[in-house]
Amino acid sequence: ILVRSAEALETLAGIDTLLVDKTGTLTEGKPKLTDVRARQGFDEKMLLRLAASLERGSEHPLGQAIAAGARERDITLLNPERFGSITGLGVEGEVSGQRVAIGNTALMRKLALAASIGEDVLAEADKDVRSLASEGKTALLVAINGKLAGILAVADSIKDSAADALAELRSRGIDVVMATGDNWLTARSVAKQLSIATVHAEVLP
């Protein structure tokens, strides 16, 4: 750690609250693909190939996890014709002539896909997302050509050192607050395991 100002150290000595990110700070920052759930009419292998192909150039840990998970399953990835990232919501683009979008329900609405997917289908998918999130997983919806094709779930392990580090901070009278772009259920699952009382989830960068 390079500290450029002595005044910063003096200020640091008097803090009573520490705000920490979840991914890569409390967790390993190396998420792994855990679930591939294709909806009726879609094939799991095709779903993962298109999603992972779109994500192969992504710098986001979740995108990298999806691409790595596909390779581990011996799925050959394609080169996307178009790739776009929407901060805090997900990614969209085109792979092998197919329009692909990966992200949360807010992304589906932003891309005006809710009408073609159907609000009832989105509501049903949201239940699955919540169920996976309660297990500490981050679930992503995958839409192909305007239809909901399935759900991918990714999990990130908590660092072995996190609990002890937080206990040491608390022993010094420092309150720890977790902030994350992840959904509330996943955030609360991690916070519960680490005894963090105050959480801010679904926060945009």
Side-chain angles (χ1 to χ4, degrees):
I1 301 174
L2 175 63
V3 181
R4 296 193 296 177
S5 165
E7 183 182 356
L9 282 176
E10 292 172 4
T11 302
L12 186 63
I15 68 166
D16 57 13
T17 305
L18 179 65
L19 183 67
V20 295
D21 183 28
K22 177 177 71 67
T23 305
T25 302
L26 299 175
T27 64
E28 294 288 350
K30 298 176 182 177
K32 292 187 177 181
L33 181 67
T34 57
D35 299 76
V36 180
R37 300 182 181 181
R39 286 179 55 80
Q40 188 173 2
F42 291 91
D43 175 73
E44 279 191 9
K45 190 172 182 179
M46 179 201 69
L47 166 69
L48 186 53
R49 172 177 281 121
L50 290 176
S53 295
L54 182 62
E55 293 279 20
R56 70 183 302 178
S58 173
E59 295 180 355
H60 196 285
L62 296 184
Q64 293 174 355
I66 292 171
R71 294 189 187 98
E72 288 169 5
R73 291 164 173 76
D74 296 321
I75 292 177
T76 303
L77 302 187
L78 309 169
N79 290 318
E81 289 94 65
R82 184 174 60 80
F83 173 86
S85 175
I86 301 174
T87 303
L89 301 181
V91 298
E92 60 85 28
E94 192 169 319
V95 180
S96 190
Q98 311 287 313
R99 290 181 292 112
V100 183
I102 308 168
N104 54 27
T105 52
L107 174 71
M108 302 303 158
R109 290 191 169 89
K110 184 175 180 64
L111 297 177
L113 295 177
S116 61
I117 290 174
E119 287 293 344
D120 56 332
V121 173
L122 276 180
E124 179 187 334
D126 194 48
K127 290 180 181 177
D128 290 335
V129 168
R130 289 175 175 274
S131 175
L132 289 163
S134 67
E135 300 172 19
K137 299 175 181 178
T138 300
L140 302 169
L141 304 180
V142 181
I144 299 174
N145 294 326
K147 301 294 181 184
L148 188 64
I151 297 175
L152 302 178
V154 173
D156 190 10
S157 302
I158 293 173
K159 285 182 178 177
D160 293 337
S161 60
D164 288 343
L166 294 178
E168 175 68 18
L169 287 165
R170 291 189 190 102
S171 73
R172 296 178 182 224
I174 297 175
D175 184 32
V176 178
V177 177
M178 185 177 82
T180 176
D182 219 331
N183 67 72
W184 278 102
L185 286 172
T186 303
R188 286 192 183 117
S189 175
V190 172
K192 184 178 180 180
Q193 294 176 67
L194 293 172
S195 300
I196 297 174
T198 308
V199 179
H200 296 278
E202 299 178 12
V203 179
L204 296 178

